[in-house]
Amino acid sequence: MSILVVQIPPRERLSADDGAAAPRGGGDFAYVLSPDGLAVGSSGRCAAALLPRADTVLAVLADTDCSWLRATLPKAPAAKLRAALLGLLEESLLEEPEVVHLALAPKATPGEPTWIAATHRPWLASQLAVLEGAGLLVERVLPAAWPDATQPHGHFSTVPGDDPQAPLRLTWCDVDGVTALRLQGSLARQLLARWQAGEAPPRWTATPAAAAEAERWLGTPVQLLSDEERMLEAARSLWNLRQFELMPQHRGMLALRDAWRQFRSPPWRPVRWGLVALVAVQVLGMNLNAWQLRSGIEQRRQAMDQVLRSAFPQVRAVLDAPLQMERETQALRTAAGRPGDADFESLLSAAALAWPEGRPPLDGLRYEPGRLTLPATGWSPQEIEQFKAQLRPGGWVVESAEGRLTLRPEGGA
């Protein structure tokens, strides 16, 4: 299950504009392609149209493109939750509410304090449009750093284009939020003293280009963490900034793809093997059942053939035992002078037994092999129903149409 994580370039801040950067459709995106979300497979930088394809596509924001607010999640319907959040955080926002995009922390509970991520909505929407215009279905948008209550984390990285005297930037995240600042002046030193005095020992990481400078400034070794590895760390988080108005319109497809990817994941391998075994057992069972049915049918056919040969030794070739037995029985009955159910005498006798009282004798009738047609002109519906009801228990079928009654044995044509 391959995963493509795309780094969205930092937003350009323009003092004379509304703060939105123009969509950079021709700009390059840094990316990392991983076969499993853990190891780096390949990485690089290219235009959106040239990005590799993968089963899952995620996007990561820069540290400075996401601000963090702490508030109690209001108890509001889903359709009105964003408006309730804007009203609650209006005084804390750095930009106009109509251009701010908000996203809740994973597993946020109404009525409980939670972290809320804020970013510039038109800019983020334009970047997602560039990626999706290149055929990439971005399922989640992730922050590069987020408030972490488990272990404080400080990450050093270079800031291209900054003052050469202060080329590093430190991103600090802990239970109190996320702070991104340059290593210049006394503020970083003051905060460092407070961070190191905390109860939990912090985790210090740095990109390879910033590691030496970071260790000199910090006075302690740091763990190397490349930009690609940091992007994969963000991909393993539960965060998703595609909420509210930026929620994907193809949620059903995403849910289906998520379910399919989960089914293909290693933890589901026993389930897959179990389903394969179940299908194999079902196929084997159906074939065995079909073989048993064919064997039973063949045994019954042989038994009927044996009955035919024993009852009528003169029959040499058995082609259709039931039909041949019926013909031979009919021939014996005819030879003995006994009428069959479909003969004229049997049909006429049955009709006479059920004939309504007060009805005059018949003016005429018509006989066909197995069928006797009687005129019923002037019969009332009650008489017709009584006639049918008296003959039905004896295995006779009576059909009425156009003033005629047709009598035949049940099962006859």
Side-chain angles (χ1 to χ4, degrees), residues 168-227:
L168 297 189
R169 179 177 62 206
L170 171 62
T171 301
W172 173 264
C173 52
D174 60 7
V175 68
D176 295 323
V178 177
T179 303
L181 70 163
R182 302 173 184 176
L183 301 185
Q184 184 178 4
S186 61
L187 177 59
R189 285 293 180 184
Q190 294 174 2
L191 293 176
L192 176 63
R194 189 181 70 182
W195 293 335
Q196 290 180 330
E199 297 181 0
R203 174 194 175 205
W204 298 104
T205 61
T207 60
E213 184 72 17
E215 289 180 350
R216 282 194 297 268
W217 185 86
L218 191 61
T220 185
V222 298
Q223 177 186 354
L224 291 180
L225 184 67
S226 65
D227 292 335

Side-chain angles (χ1 to χ4, degrees), residues 293-312:
L293 291 176
R294 287 195 299 268
S295 177
I297 293 173
E298 181 63 22
Q299 292 177 359
R300 290 182 178 85
R301 188 187 65 80
Q302 293 177 0
M304 288 190 294
D305 293 350
Q306 185 63 32
V307 170
L308 176 62
R309 288 192 177 95
S310 61
F312 304 99

Side-chain angles (χ1 to χ4, degrees), residues 6-80:
V6 181
Q7 175 70 62
I8 295 181
R11 180 166 68 97
E12 299 175 359
R13 271 71 173 181
L14 302 178
S15 58
D17 201 349
D18 61 351
R24 301 190 296 177
D28 291 343
F29 292 86
Y31 71 89
V32 56
L33 181 63
S34 173
D36 54 5
L38 301 175
V40 176
S42 62
S43 61
R45 179 181 295 272
C46 62
L50 301 179
L51 288 170
R53 295 316 188 243
D55 297 329
T56 302
V57 180
L58 308 177
V60 178
L61 298 183
D63 295 331
T64 55
D65 287 332
C66 192
S67 59
W68 299 92
L69 304 168
R70 183 76 169 174
T72 300
L73 183 61
K75 298 180 180 180
K80 299 180 179 180

Side-chain angles (χ1 to χ4, degrees), residues 220-404:
T220 185
V222 298
Q223 177 186 354
L224 291 180
L225 184 67
S226 65
D227 292 335
E228 293 79 11
E229 292 172 335
R230 193 168 184 239
M231 292 164 65
L232 289 181
E233 276 193 357
R236 292 193 291 271
S237 73
L238 299 178
W239 278 94
N240 183 15
L241 304 186
R242 295 207 71 170
Q243 301 180 27
F244 301 115
E245 68 276 11
L246 292 185
M247 185 176 293
Q249 300 300 319
H250 31 258
R251 285 177 292 174
M253 183 182 299
L254 290 180
L256 184 61
R257 289 180 57 183
D258 287 341
W260 174 245
R261 283 196 300 269
Q262 183 179 6
F263 180 75
R264 292 175 55 193
S265 62
W268 282 74
R269 185 177 291 113
V271 177
R272 295 196 299 270
W273 280 110
L275 289 176
V276 171
L278 180 61
V279 172
V281 170
Q282 291 290 334
V283 172
L284 182 62
M286 287 190 295
N287 289 333
L288 179 61
N289 188 41
W291 177 81
Q292 292 176 341
L293 291 176
R294 287 195 299 268
S295 177
I297 293 173
E298 181 63 22
Q299 292 177 359
R300 290 182 178 85
R301 188 187 65 80
Q302 293 177 0
M304 288 190 294
D305 293 350
Q306 185 63 32
V307 170
L308 176 62
R309 288 192 177 95
S310 61
F312 304 99
Q314 70 276 13
V315 178
R316 297 182 179 180
V318 179
L319 302 178
D320 188 340
L323 180 61
Q324 289 177 279
M325 190 175 300
E326 182 180 356
R327 290 176 178 175
E328 293 296 331
T329 303
Q330 181 68 24
L332 290 176
R333 186 167 50 245
T334 302
R338 300 180 59 183
D341 291 339
D343 290 342
F344 174 73
E345 293 85 352
S346 299
L347 292 170
L348 187 60
S349 176
L353 291 175
W355 196 256
E357 295 183 3
R359 276 284 150 196
L362 292 172
D363 295 334
L365 54 83
R366 185 177 65 184
Y367 170 75
E368 300 173 359
R371 300 171 67 89
L372 180 65
T373 302
L374 311 172
T377 304
W379 285 40
S380 65
Q382 292 78 11
E383 291 176 328
I384 295 176
E385 289 300 322
Q386 183 180 0
F387 187 75
K388 293 180 178 180
Q390 290 182 358
L391 291 175
R392 190 177 298 116
W396 302 99
V397 177
V398 179
E399 301 172 353
S400 60
E402 300 179 355
R404 294 189 301 272

